[in-house]
Amino acid sequence: MTVHIDASKEDISNIVIMPGDPLRAKLIAESYLKNYKQINKTRNMFGYTGYYKDKRITVMASGMGNASMGIYSYELFNDYDVDYIIRVGTTGAYTDKLDLYDIVLVDNSYSNSAYGINLGYDNNYIESSSKINDVIEEYAKKNNINIVRGNIHCTDTFYTKDYSEYLKYNCVGVEMETFALFVNAKILNKKASAILTVSDSLVTDKKISSTEREKSTLKMVELALESILNL
Ligand code: HPA
């Protein structure tokens, strides 16, 4: 048990899938896990542990933003001996090369968040795990699932006015959680990656409605779950 997670160590797998939304964590558990049980409901940050095929995994929500992701992923890595976290989230596209529903596999996360500095990581970008990415890319290739590898802008401010700086770093989109997740993985010697579905476009202003959003992310979740079998 930690300050924010009311589970015992044995209740959590060493592999965790993290959507932002607690209700998406519930939907993933209900749709894909066998013999699952709820392992956290503190602050409604739902978490479940069960079996996908024969692999024991935990799916737990991160909440929105680096601050929330920072808390939960830190405690999972540090207190629950989690080795791998894969974020499954959404992104707003910065390029017209990305359409709604496209799937991005994150290479580097760029941010001006203070999250890293506060933990002694003084850099504006951080890389995801190449081990996890390789496994995801291999599964996607074998099964003809189209994914785009790219950098992502991780903002602390949803209503950011000027994102032009991040186009210079070849960021293909924006989201709000990868930076804290990858910093925690780095300082705690663990592995983390992120797969993101394009939910809106800052170029065309198109967006997926919130009801479509739930279903639209299932392809990405299946990609994460199947890839985990090969970790
Ligand atoms: N901005 C920030 N985070 C996001 C967005 C966005 O447009 N879409 C999905 N996550």
Side-chain angles (χ1 to χ4, degrees):
M1 184 178 159
T2 59
V3 180
H4 304 94
I5 305 174
D6 189 13
S8 63
K9 225 173 186 169
E10 310 79 62
D11 282 340
I12 294 184
S13 164
N14 71 323
I15 302 176
V16 179
I17 290 206
M18 287 197 104
D21 178 359
L23 292 179
R24 210 173 308 151
K26 184 166 180 273
L27 180 72
I28 294 169
E30 287 167 352
S31 308
Y32 295 106
L33 299 189
K34 283 180 296 192
N35 300 326
Y36 67 87
K37 73 168 193 174
Q38 184 159 14
I39 52 89
N40 190 59
K41 54 178 192 280
T42 301
R43 286 178 187 257
N44 284 344
M45 203 58 77
F46 301 149
Y48 306 84
T49 296
Y51 288 84
Y52 179 70
K53 298 190 174 166
D54 287 327
K55 198 92 162 185
R56 185 171 178 263
I57 71 147
T58 294
V59 50
M60 182 166 166
S62 67
M64 285 187 283
N66 281 313
S68 186
M69 170 59 96
I71 289 170
Y72 292 106
S73 59
Y74 192 97
E75 292 178 11
L76 289 169
F77 282 142
N78 192 58
D79 299 278
Y80 287 95
D81 294 344
V82 168
D83 295 314
Y84 302 99
I85 296 180
I86 302 178
R87 162 165 157 70
V88 286
T90 56
T91 180
Y94 276 171
T95 163
D96 59 10
K97 294 197 178 79
L98 284 178
D99 281 329
L100 297 181
Y101 304 106
D102 280 354
I103 296 176
V104 177
L105 177 60
V106 178
D107 282 324
N108 297 291
S109 172
Y110 281 83
S111 188
N112 62 4
S113 166
Y115 190 88
I117 295 165
N118 291 340
L119 289 167
Y121 181 81
D122 189 3
N123 218 330
N124 73 337
Y125 79 96
I126 187 152
E127 65 280 1
S128 57
S129 159
S130 57
K131 178 177 174 184
I132 300 177
N133 289 350
D134 288 350
V135 166
I136 292 171
E137 190 161 47
E138 196 181 317
Y139 180 83
K141 264 194 192 136
K142 267 195 195 145
N143 292 277
N144 289 321
I145 299 168
N146 201 30
I147 57 167
V148 177
R149 278 185 88 142
N151 296 337
I152 213 80
H153 171 203
C154 184
T155 184
D156 279 340
T157 313
F158 185 86
Y159 296 104
T160 296
K161 293 241 181 307
D162 179 5
Y163 56 81
S164 54
E165 180 188 347
Y166 294 91
L167 301 180
K168 287 187 238 150
Y169 303 127
N170 292 323
C171 292
V172 296
V174 57
E175 55 82 63
M176 303 186 72
E177 291 83 19
T178 50
F179 194 73
L181 173 62
F182 297 171
V183 167
N184 284 341
K186 181 152 203 126
I187 62 170
L188 297 168
N189 248 320
K190 307 285 185 158
K191 298 199 185 316
S193 283
I195 323 176
L196 308 169
T197 298
V198 176
S199 59
D200 56 284
S201 169
L202 285 89
V203 185
T204 63
D205 246 8
K206 284 195 249 174
K207 31 177 103 40
I208 299 177
S209 70
S210 50
T211 40
E212 282 170 282
R213 204 179 252 234
E214 213 168 62
K215 281 182 262 139
S216 68
T217 53
L218 291 180
K219 191 168 132 197
M220 159 183 71
V221 169
E222 283 167 24
L223 174 59
L225 289 167
E226 284 292 330
S227 303
I228 279 171
L229 299 177
N230 300 315
L231 263 182

